[in-house]
Amino acid sequence: KMKKFSFSRNSRLHGRRIFDFVFSEGSKCSTKDLVIWACAPGERKAGKEFPALIKHGSKRLGLVISKKSGRAVQRNRLKRLLREAFRLSKDGLMDGAHIIVYPKAGCGIKTLLGARAALSAIWARARITNAER
């Protein structure tokens, strides 16, 4: 069934309120190539609730890519690689995980295999995979 591998509008973080919430309430983690902010419905800090716009069961990804990452062609390719890596690997994430990914300047991700490896490594480090919960 191909439905579980889709990268639909529901798989994307969109809207300033949600991005601001994940940036402020999410836990930050970084590796050599990536920085992520991640939060899940189970992790409420200081009594703050998830905004009503956030769907609790879905795993969602937001990308923030600076112009320091290269020209438009390189930035768009990096976004496509990261979206595809997320789409193929999201089953390993805990339910309701909301993640913002920021590739650092000079990010070494050039292939889908590299993108999947980088995301897996940072997810394990941030403890948002199903194995840690």
Side-chain angles (χ1 to χ4, degrees), residues 62-92:
L63 293 171
V64 177
I65 300 196
S66 144
K67 288 189 177 179
K68 293 176 186 175
S69 297
R71 303 187 102 157
V73 173
Q74 286 91 17
R75 292 194 310 267
N76 289 334
R77 176 162 175 74
L78 185 55
K79 284 193 279 189
R80 282 195 307 273
L81 285 171
L82 289 169
R83 277 192 207 113
E84 183 68 3
F86 175 80
R87 185 183 75 81
L88 293 171
S89 307
K90 68 182 177 182
D91 283 344

Side-chain angles (χ1 to χ4, degrees), residues 8-57:
S8 64
R9 184 166 169 81
N10 289 338
S11 298
R12 298 172 193 244
L13 278 183
H14 43 81
R16 185 168 193 74
R17 264 183 62 212
I18 295 175
F19 267 84
D20 288 345
F21 180 82
V22 175
F23 276 129
S24 66
E25 300 302 314
S27 54
K28 182 179 176 182
C29 189
S30 65
T31 59
K32 181 176 65 97
D33 291 324
L34 301 173
V35 178
I36 67 165
W37 290 263
C39 62
E43 301 172 357
R44 292 187 177 87
K45 296 180 184 170
K48 281 203 169 186
E49 292 289 321
F50 258 40
L53 294 171
I54 292 183
K55 293 180 175 68
H56 288 276

